[in-house]
Amino acid sequence: MEPSLVGEEEEGGGRFRASEHQHARYNPLRDDWVLVSAHRVKRPWQGQVEKPPPEDVPRWDPKNPLCPGATRANGEVNPQYEGTFVFPNDFPALQPDAPEPGDSDHPLFRAAAARGVCKVMCFHPWSDLTLPLMSLAEIRAVIDAWAELAAELGASYPWVQIFENKGAMMGCSNPHPHCQVWASSFLPNEAHLEDRTQRQHLTQHSVPMLLEYAEQEALRKERLVVENADWLVVVPYWATWPYQTLLLPRRHVCRLQDLREDERDSLASIMQRLLIKYDNLFEVSFPYSMGWHGAPTGPYLEEDCRHWQLHAHYYPPLLRSATVRKFMVGYEMLAQAQRDLTPEQAAERLRSLPEVHYKQRTKETS
């Protein structure tokens, strides 16, 4: 299905087709543009080939600092945890008691205070499990722990960033299923940008941007990957990464901790379905960086944040296979983001994949 684009007209002797002709798409959430060059998908690949992730990860390794009973770098011994496990990051990027920088002597050389806390959260005691291979009850426990941390740290900090880097390709050196949670005394750049764009949209259109966007995508279907009664996942119209997705609630929800019990259950289900499709795409443990964005907290809890809509971003790097990734270099670094595969093509491919994990299918047929 061709996406609904303004300007699909006869021009220069031919009709514009988004799947064949280059064009730019606007991202209202970031207030920027992405160049879509679908015709480049046909070019032969002679670039870097990555090593696929290892498939023989031991379930428990006494030398792995994230395993139950293991000793971490600071000498502390992990408990024999059986569910989720949260602990302070042994090498935090933010600390609560950092001194303030001095006054700047020139406007081109400004510095500001940056304080906070960093935590690590293990999803499961087993190192050879990832979220798509966990049970719905185990994924639900992860969601509850996320919401608890968001509320606890958000009581005092303006921003709580929950994020998961999965796979060595995304800089994750430890295969044990885990994420990080950084709470900061300031709004980071992406949060500040999304706050501005969503506020402007509500002012101009009297509806939260991502609530309206979810309603539109549910109707159009062409970029839909999976959906249920409470959630939908789309490859966004403005996606930059090849198989980038956006996870959205159907009702207006500002923060993760505001989710109802049934919405947390259905979130566990749709996360599992999406992540199984990701793994099935190239039959590999699919690398990505993901994270939650919601209304700011701390002092913002007393402010009107109706312009915000809770959402999760998934940014996977793989492009053509388990070993060929997209690089953000050259034009992307110096001009603007660019993609080859259209979001509609990516969504159709993900949508068509089975929802039984390839490892489980292998076991059933063996």
Side-chain angles (χ1 to χ4, degrees):
M1 179 186 294
E2 288 294 319
S4 304
L5 291 174
V6 175
E8 290 198 1
E9 301 171 350
E10 299 289 334
E11 185 174 324
R15 181 176 180 268
F16 171 81
R17 297 184 65 84
S19 59
E20 297 177 11
H21 303 119
Q22 70 263 24
H23 59 282
R25 297 191 185 189
Y26 180 63
N27 181 346
L29 194 57
R30 301 198 76 258
D31 191 22
D32 63 9
W33 293 78
V34 58
L35 174 63
V36 182
S37 309
H39 57 284
R40 281 168 51 90
V41 174
K42 300 173 185 177
R43 67 190 174 109
W45 179 257
Q46 297 178 325
Q48 179 171 321
V49 175
E50 310 286 339
K51 289 183 178 180
E55 295 284 347
D56 56 347
V57 176
R59 179 155 293 182
W60 183 81
D61 181 353
K63 297 180 181 179
N64 187 329
L66 298 185
C67 281
T71 301
R72 303 203 309 274
N74 63 357
E76 292 191 23
V77 178
N78 295 336
Q80 295 291 340
Y81 66 92
E82 298 181 350
T84 60
F85 171 51
V86 179
F87 62 92
N89 193 316
D90 297 328
F91 303 98
L94 291 164
Q95 296 177 322
D97 54 359
E100 291 199 23
D103 294 334
S104 171
D105 62 355
H106 193 281
L108 293 178
F109 302 93
R110 296 167 58 191
R115 299 188 178 96
V117 295
C118 298
K119 294 183 179 290
V120 176
M121 184 180 113
C122 295
F123 297 155
H124 197 280
W126 295 356
S127 294
D128 59 344
L129 273 192
T130 54
L131 281 170
L133 292 169
M134 289 166 56
S135 70
L136 289 177
E138 289 167 336
I139 299 173
R140 168 64 197 266
V142 170
I143 293 166
D144 287 340
W146 281 343
E148 184 178 338
L149 280 169
E152 174 192 330
L153 298 174
S156 53
Y157 285 102
W159 190 255
V160 180
Q161 184 58 65
I162 298 167
F163 64 97
E164 178 194 5
N165 293 326
K166 182 185 174 211
M169 200 179 293
M170 302 309 293
C172 181
S173 58
N174 195 318
H176 193 94
H178 71 286
C179 72
Q180 298 189 53
V181 184
W182 294 11
S184 62
S185 62
F186 56 91
L187 282 190
N189 293 343
E190 293 297 310
H192 195 273
L193 177 58
E194 288 192 5
D195 184 69
R196 175 177 65 81
T197 57
Q198 290 180 95
R199 188 184 300 273
Q200 288 176 344
H201 188 91
L202 181 65
T203 300
Q204 295 170 3
H205 303 283
S206 302
V207 60
M209 176 198 295
L210 292 181
L211 183 62
E212 182 178 18
Y213 180 67
E215 292 170 350
Q216 285 293 316
E217 289 288 29
L219 291 172
R220 295 170 186 250
K221 305 288 187 186
E222 55 199 333
R223 285 169 294 273
L224 197 62
V225 177
V226 286
E227 63 178 332
N228 61 28
D230 302 311
W231 301 87
L232 71 159
V233 176
V234 300
V235 177
Y237 176 78
W238 52 78
T240 299
W241 294 93
Y243 293 97
Q244 175 181 335
T245 55
L246 185 62
L247 171 57
L248 295 161
R250 291 185 187 271
R251 78 172 178 98
H252 188 203
V253 185
C254 289
R255 300 178 178 92
L256 195 59
Q257 52 268 42
D258 297 335
L259 293 174
R260 303 186 306 246
E261 292 292 314
D262 58 320
E263 289 171 328
R264 296 184 186 199
D265 286 337
S266 57
L267 174 56
S269 173
I270 204 163
M271 283 176 54
Q272 185 188 63
R273 293 169 63 197
L274 169 65
L275 298 180
I276 286 174
K277 283 179 178 289
Y278 267 163
D279 280 11
N280 284 344
L281 179 60
F282 299 127
E283 295 199 346
V284 69
S285 185
F286 206 67
Y288 58 74
S289 282
M290 71 78 64
W292 286 97
H293 283 175
T297 49
Y300 294 91
L301 291 170
E302 304 300 321
E303 296 188 11
D304 183 358
C305 291
R306 287 176 299 167
H307 54 290
W308 271 91
Q309 173 74 329
L310 176 70
H311 58 284
H313 296 283
Y314 284 84
Y315 299 125
L318 292 181
L319 173 60
R320 298 182 181 215
S321 70
T323 58
V324 176
R325 62 167 296 171
K326 175 179 174 60
F327 289 90
M328 286 288 192
V329 296
Y331 189 87
E332 287 99 336
M333 294 179 71
L334 298 167
Q336 74 179 41
Q338 182 272 337
R339 65 177 291 124
D340 297 345
L341 190 71
T342 69
E344 295 73 33
Q345 291 167 334
E348 184 177 11
R349 189 163 182 190
L350 289 173
R351 192 167 52 242
S352 66
L353 291 167
E355 294 188 10
V356 176
H357 198 277
Y358 72 91
K359 289 185 176 180
Q360 295 169 334
R361 296 202 309 272
T362 302
K363 290 180 182 178
E364 291 172 0
T365 56
S366 61

Short mmCIF file of all heavy atoms in Angstrom, two decimals, residues 122-142:
data_model
loop_
_atom_site.label_atom_id
_atom_site.label_comp_id
_atom_site.label_asym_id
_atom_site.label_seq_id
_atom_site.Cartn_x
_atom_site.Cartn_y
_atom_site.Cartn_z
N CYS A 122 17.95 -5.61 36.47
CA CYS A 122 17.97 -6.91 35.79
C CYS A 122 16.53 -7.39 35.63
O CYS A 122 15.73 -7.32 36.56
CB CYS A 122 18.77 -7.92 36.61
SG CYS A 122 20.53 -7.51 36.75
N PHE A 123 16.21 -7.87 34.44
CA PHE A 123 14.86 -8.33 34.15
C PHE A 123 14.57 -9.72 34.72
O PHE A 123 13.42 -10.03 35.04
CB PHE A 123 14.62 -8.39 32.63
CG PHE A 123 14.70 -7.07 31.92
CD1 PHE A 123 15.02 -7.03 30.57
CD2 PHE A 123 14.46 -5.88 32.58
CE1 PHE A 123 15.09 -5.81 29.89
CE2 PHE A 123 14.52 -4.66 31.92
CZ PHE A 123 14.85 -4.63 30.57
N HIS A 124 15.61 -10.55 34.80
CA HIS A 124 15.41 -11.97 35.09
C HIS A 124 16.73 -12.53 35.62
O HIS A 124 17.81 -12.03 35.27
CB HIS A 124 15.00 -12.70 33.79
CG HIS A 124 14.40 -14.04 33.99
ND1 HIS A 124 15.17 -15.17 34.21
CD2 HIS A 124 13.11 -14.46 33.99
CE1 HIS A 124 14.37 -16.22 34.34
NE2 HIS A 124 13.12 -15.83 34.20
N PRO A 125 16.70 -13.57 36.45
CA PRO A 125 17.95 -14.15 36.95
C PRO A 125 18.75 -14.92 35.90
O PRO A 125 19.94 -15.16 36.10
CB PRO A 125 17.48 -15.08 38.08
CG PRO A 125 16.05 -15.38 37.78
CD PRO A 125 15.52 -14.16 37.11
N TRP A 126 18.13 -15.31 34.79
CA TRP A 126 18.82 -16.11 33.77
C TRP A 126 19.46 -15.21 32.72
O TRP A 126 18.80 -14.34 32.15
CB TRP A 126 17.86 -17.07 33.08
CG TRP A 126 17.30 -18.13 33.98
CD1 TRP A 126 17.62 -18.36 35.30
CD2 TRP A 126 16.32 -19.10 33.62
NE1 TRP A 126 16.89 -19.41 35.79
CE2 TRP A 126 16.09 -19.89 34.78
CE3 TRP A 126 15.61 -19.39 32.46
CZ2 TRP A 126 15.18 -20.94 34.79
CZ3 TRP A 126 14.70 -20.44 32.47
CH2 TRP A 126 14.50 -21.21 33.62
N SER A 127 20.72 -15.48 32.39
CA SER A 127 21.43 -14.68 31.40
C SER A 127 21.05 -15.03 29.97
O SER A 127 21.30 -14.25 29.05
CB SER A 127 22.94 -14.84 31.57
OG SER A 127 23.38 -14.29 32.78
N ASP A 128 20.49 -16.23 29.75
CA ASP A 128 20.19 -16.66 28.38
C ASP A 128 18.76 -16.34 27.95
O ASP A 128 18.30 -16.82 26.92
CB ASP A 128 20.46 -18.16 28.23
CG ASP A 128 19.63 -19.02 29.18
OD1 ASP A 128 19.08 -18.46 30.16
OD2 ASP A 128 19.53 -20.24 28.98
N LEU A 129 18.07 -15.53 28.74
CA LEU A 129 16.72 -15.10 28.38
C LEU A 129 16.72 -13.63 27.99
O LEU A 129 17.45 -12.83 28.58
CB LEU A 129 15.75 -15.29 29.54
CG LEU A 129 15.06 -16.65 29.73
CD1 LEU A 129 13.93 -16.51 30.74
CD2 LEU A 129 14.50 -17.18 28.41
N THR A 130 15.90 -13.29 27.00
CA THR A 130 15.65 -11.89 26.68
C THR A 130 14.14 -11.67 26.78
O THR A 130 13.38 -12.63 26.91
CB THR A 130 16.14 -11.56 25.26
OG1 THR A 130 15.56 -12.49 24.33
CG2 THR A 130 17.66 -11.64 25.17
N LEU A 131 13.71 -10.44 26.72
CA LEU A 131 12.29 -10.14 26.92
C LEU A 131 11.35 -10.96 26.03
O LEU A 131 10.33 -11.45 26.51
CB LEU A 131 12.03 -8.64 26.72
CG LEU A 131 12.41 -7.74 27.90
CD1 LEU A 131 12.34 -6.27 27.49
CD2 LEU A 131 11.47 -7.99 29.09
N PRO A 132 11.63 -11.14 24.73
CA PRO A 132 10.68 -11.91 23.91
C PRO A 132 10.56 -13.37 24.31
O PRO A 132 9.58 -14.03 23.94
CB PRO A 132 11.24 -11.76 22.49
CG PRO A 132 12.66 -11.39 22.66
CD PRO A 132 12.71 -10.58 23.91
N LEU A 133 11.53 -13.88 25.05
CA LEU A 133 11.49 -15.28 25.48
C LEU A 133 10.98 -15.44 26.91
O LEU A 133 10.86 -16.56 27.39
CB LEU A 133 12.89 -15.90 25.34
CG LEU A 133 13.39 -16.07 23.90
CD1 LEU A 133 14.86 -16.44 23.88
CD2 LEU A 133 12.56 -17.11 23.16
N MET A 134 10.69 -14.33 27.56
CA MET A 134 10.15 -14.38 28.91
C MET A 134 8.63 -14.56 28.87
O MET A 134 7.99 -14.29 27.86
CB MET A 134 10.52 -13.09 29.67
CG MET A 134 12.00 -13.02 30.02
SD MET A 134 12.58 -11.37 30.54
CE MET A 134 11.49 -11.02 31.90
N SER A 135 8.06 -15.03 29.97
CA SER A 135 6.61 -15.21 30.05
C SER A 135 5.93 -13.85 30.20
O SER A 135 6.57 -12.85 30.57
CB SER A 135 6.25 -16.10 31.23
OG SER A 135 6.50 -15.42 32.45
N LEU A 136 4.63 -13.81 29.95
CA LEU A 136 3.89 -12.56 30.11
C LEU A 136 3.94 -12.08 31.55
O LEU A 136 4.05 -10.87 31.81
CB LEU A 136 2.44 -12.76 29.67
CG LEU A 136 2.21 -12.91 28.16
CD1 LEU A 136 0.74 -13.17 27.87
CD2 LEU A 136 2.68 -11.66 27.41
N ALA A 137 3.89 -13.00 32.51
CA ALA A 137 3.96 -12.62 33.92
C ALA A 137 5.32 -12.00 34.24
O ALA A 137 5.41 -11.03 35.02
CB ALA A 137 3.71 -13.83 34.81
N GLU A 138 6.38 -12.53 33.64
CA GLU A 138 7.73 -12.00 33.88
C GLU A 138 7.89 -10.62 33.24
O GLU A 138 8.51 -9.72 33.82
CB GLU A 138 8.77 -12.97 33.35
CG GLU A 138 8.87 -14.25 34.18
CD GLU A 138 9.66 -15.35 33.51
OE1 GLU A 138 9.77 -15.34 32.25
OE2 GLU A 138 10.17 -16.23 34.22
N ILE A 139 7.32 -10.43 32.05
CA ILE A 139 7.38 -9.11 31.41
C ILE A 139 6.55 -8.11 32.21
O ILE A 139 6.95 -6.96 32.39
CB ILE A 139 6.89 -9.19 29.94
CG1 ILE A 139 7.78 -10.14 29.13
CG2 ILE A 139 6.89 -7.80 29.30
CD1 ILE A 139 7.27 -10.41 27.73
N ARG A 140 5.40 -8.54 32.70
CA ARG A 140 4.56 -7.68 33.54
C ARG A 140 5.33 -7.23 34.79
O ARG A 140 5.21 -6.07 35.23
CB ARG A 140 3.27 -8.40 33.91
CG ARG A 140 2.43 -7.74 35.01
CD ARG A 140 1.90 -6.36 34.58
NE ARG A 140 1.46 -5.61 35.75
CZ ARG A 140 0.21 -5.57 36.20
NH1 ARG A 140 -0.74 -6.23 35.56
NH2 ARG A 140 -0.10 -4.85 37.26
N ALA A 141 6.12 -8.12 35.37
CA ALA A 141 6.93 -7.75 36.54
C ALA A 141 7.94 -6.67 36.19
O ALA A 141 8.22 -5.77 36.99
CB ALA A 141 7.63 -8.98 37.10
N VAL A 142 8.50 -6.73 34.98
CA VAL A 142 9.43 -5.70 34.51
C VAL A 142 8.70 -4.36 34.40
O VAL A 142 9.20 -3.32 34.83
CB VAL A 142 10.05 -6.10 33.16
CG1 VAL A 142 10.82 -4.93 32.54
CG2 VAL A 142 10.97 -7.31 33.33
#
